[in-house]
Amino acid sequence: MTRTFKAQAIATILGTTSDTIRRATEESGLDVQRQETGPRTRIYTIENVYELAQWRAQKKGDKKPKKPVVVTVYVPKGGVGKSTIAANLACIFPTMGLKTLVVDLDFQSNLTLAFGYDSELSHEEAEEDGLSHERVVDHHFGSLFPQWPQAMPLEEIIKKPFGEYGPHVIPSDVSLDNLDTIMTFEALESRNSASMFAKLISDGRTGKRPGVDLSSYDVIIFDAAPAKNRMTRSALLASDYVVAPISLEKFSTKAVSYLSRVLNEMKEEAGRCPELLIVGNFFDVTRTRVLNQTAMIRRTYNDQWMNSIIRRSEDFPKTLSSDTYELPLFLSKPNSPGAEDLRKVASDLLAKMGVL
């Protein structure tokens, strides 16, 4: 969280030039530290990145969606880079001036960890290890529901790892699994648990739900678990789009065809379903199998396939753990091919959704 940048790195992140960044810094009056020794070069924090992005968007008068666009990142298969892509999209959208909320719906909490929060850490352990209590996860998405034993308002659940103008995060921990249990009881008592979830989001988008006002956001992202549980189905029902990352190295036709069936069933039963958008990951132009897989899925899912893909790269972390925490790639290595691909995917998704 202490990563700093020089003007050239900020220019890469915001898709502009170093001179533009320097002028924007001066015009905005942003308080940026300078190097203490040697040349008095400006040193930007991550918070500065998002402050500049917000200032530029306001100056240009960028149009915003009339209500938040809701997206679920989901595919019924693990190991496809789902949480990695969700975390990076959540970091990229605010650089385009979009106020973004990302919600971890997987009690394994990989996305939560991607933003530096440790779902296994207690306040006592943080104290003993000299860690900030901000890293501790006390509440999650389930805490927004009145059925939850200790229901909390949205503002007390949200974490802001990179300041007010960066992505806002609703983290997860293992107790989130209890929300699925609550929803099962709701269903057994003849109440539609999926509608309970969808109504919370629908009312929140229009500012009609006390304690859950989502109306100020431009984009809301759910990172759903690979399993088809009630939370995942409910997130899909509440969403406008489902972004399905697939591994082009180990592409499973069953996973995507299964998701297509789930969406068709949802449309028949509920009268609506999110629009499917497929993002290819781990693309390697040197591997014939990958090229064949890519051509095959483009033929089969031409309307749902996003032309921008993410190349296979060693820059993406192999594993996530609290001991080896790294910033999402878009921020940690903004000049990398992976970061470039992610930004292109984000832009194309927003264009497809009609946001940009």
Side-chain angles (χ1 to χ4, degrees), residues 83-84 109-111 113-114 317-326:
S83 294
T84 297
S109 310
N110 285 333
L111 181 133
L113 186 57
K318 294 284 192 304
T319 58
L320 286 172
S321 74
S322 57
D323 295 327
T324 58
Y325 164 68
E326 293 183 19

Side-chain angles (χ1 to χ4, degrees), residues 48-355:
N48 292 154
V49 173
Y50 289 109
E51 288 167 347
L52 270 177
Q54 178 67 16
W55 181 84
R56 294 180 72 223
Q58 289 178 343
K59 183 180 179 183
K60 290 191 297 183
D62 291 348
K63 292 182 179 180
K64 300 291 189 76
K66 292 181 180 179
K67 64 179 181 178
V69 175
V70 182
V71 180
T72 293
V73 181
Y74 169 71
V75 69
K77 182 176 176 63
V80 297
K82 177 182 62 63
S83 294
T84 297
I85 289 173
N88 279 282
L89 290 177
C91 290
I92 296 169
F93 291 158
T95 67
M96 301 174 176
L98 299 170
K99 187 174 181 181
T100 304
L101 172 68
V102 61
V103 183
D104 194 344
L105 284 185
D106 188 344
F107 61 85
Q108 294 189 35
S109 310
N110 285 333
L111 181 133
T112 296
L113 186 57
F115 285 101
Y117 305 110
D118 189 347
S119 64
E120 298 293 327
L121 187 69
S122 69
H123 283 279
E124 292 74 20
E125 290 168 336
E127 191 78 34
E128 290 174 5
D129 296 340
L131 299 173
S132 169
H133 285 264
E134 178 62 17
R135 290 191 61 182
V136 179
V137 176
D138 291 315
H139 309 292
H140 48 60
F141 184 71
S143 307
L144 292 174
F145 290 85
Q147 295 90 338
W148 195 259
Q150 293 181 318
M152 306 290 291
L154 181 68
E155 60 267 22
E156 295 189 32
I157 297 173
I158 284 175
K159 290 183 177 288
K160 302 174 183 179
F162 310 135
E164 182 63 34
Y165 301 115
H168 292 186
V169 180
I170 296 182
S172 171
D173 69 13
V174 69
S175 67
L176 178 62
D177 193 39
N178 292 333
L179 178 59
D180 214 63
T181 303
I182 290 173
M183 296 177 76
T184 299
F185 283 131
E186 291 284 318
L188 290 174
E189 293 179 6
S190 300
R191 293 193 289 268
N192 191 327
S193 58
S195 292
M196 172 186 84
F197 185 120
K199 183 167 176 53
L200 181 140
I201 300 303
S202 176
D203 289 348
R205 289 168 84 175
T206 56
K208 296 178 181 177
R209 175 66 68 105
V212 191
D213 187 354
L214 303 169
S215 61
S216 66
Y217 292 99
D218 300 307
V219 182
I220 299 169
I221 304 170
F222 288 114
D223 179 32
K228 183 194 170 186
N229 55 25
R230 292 186 183 277
M231 281 189 291
T232 296
R233 181 177 174 80
S234 298
L236 291 171
L237 184 62
S239 295
D240 303 302
Y241 300 91
V242 52
V243 173
I246 61 166
S247 170
L248 295 173
E249 289 183 322
K250 303 175 182 178
F251 173 58
S252 170
T253 56
K254 290 183 178 180
V256 179
S257 61
Y258 173 78
L259 176 55
S260 295
R261 289 199 304 273
V262 168
L263 297 178
N264 287 332
E265 291 170 4
M266 184 176 294
K267 190 167 186 177
E268 290 177 3
E269 294 172 7
R272 72 176 305 275
C273 70
E275 181 178 342
L276 174 62
L277 303 175
I278 302 172
V279 175
N281 197 10
F282 306 116
F283 179 75
D284 186 344
V285 72
T286 66
R287 298 183 62 186
T288 302
R289 183 172 183 270
V290 170
L291 295 175
N292 290 338
Q293 295 278 36
T294 304
M296 184 271 290
I297 192 170
R298 288 184 69 174
R299 288 194 303 268
T300 308
Y301 297 96
N302 182 60
D303 293 338
Q304 294 84 23
W305 175 255
M306 300 298 297
N307 286 324
S308 50
I309 56 178
I310 301 169
R311 288 168 284 182
R312 187 182 184 279
S313 171
E314 296 300 321
D315 291 323
F316 289 100
K318 294 284 192 304
T319 58
L320 286 172
S321 74
S322 57
D323 295 327
T324 58
Y325 164 68
E326 293 183 19
L327 288 167
L329 183 66
F330 179 72
L331 294 174
S332 64
K333 298 178 180 179
N335 291 304
S336 66
E340 178 185 341
D341 290 347
L342 287 162
R343 185 177 183 87
K344 183 67 166 61
V345 166
S347 296
D348 289 352
L349 284 171
L350 291 175
K352 185 78 171 180
M353 297 173 190
V355 178

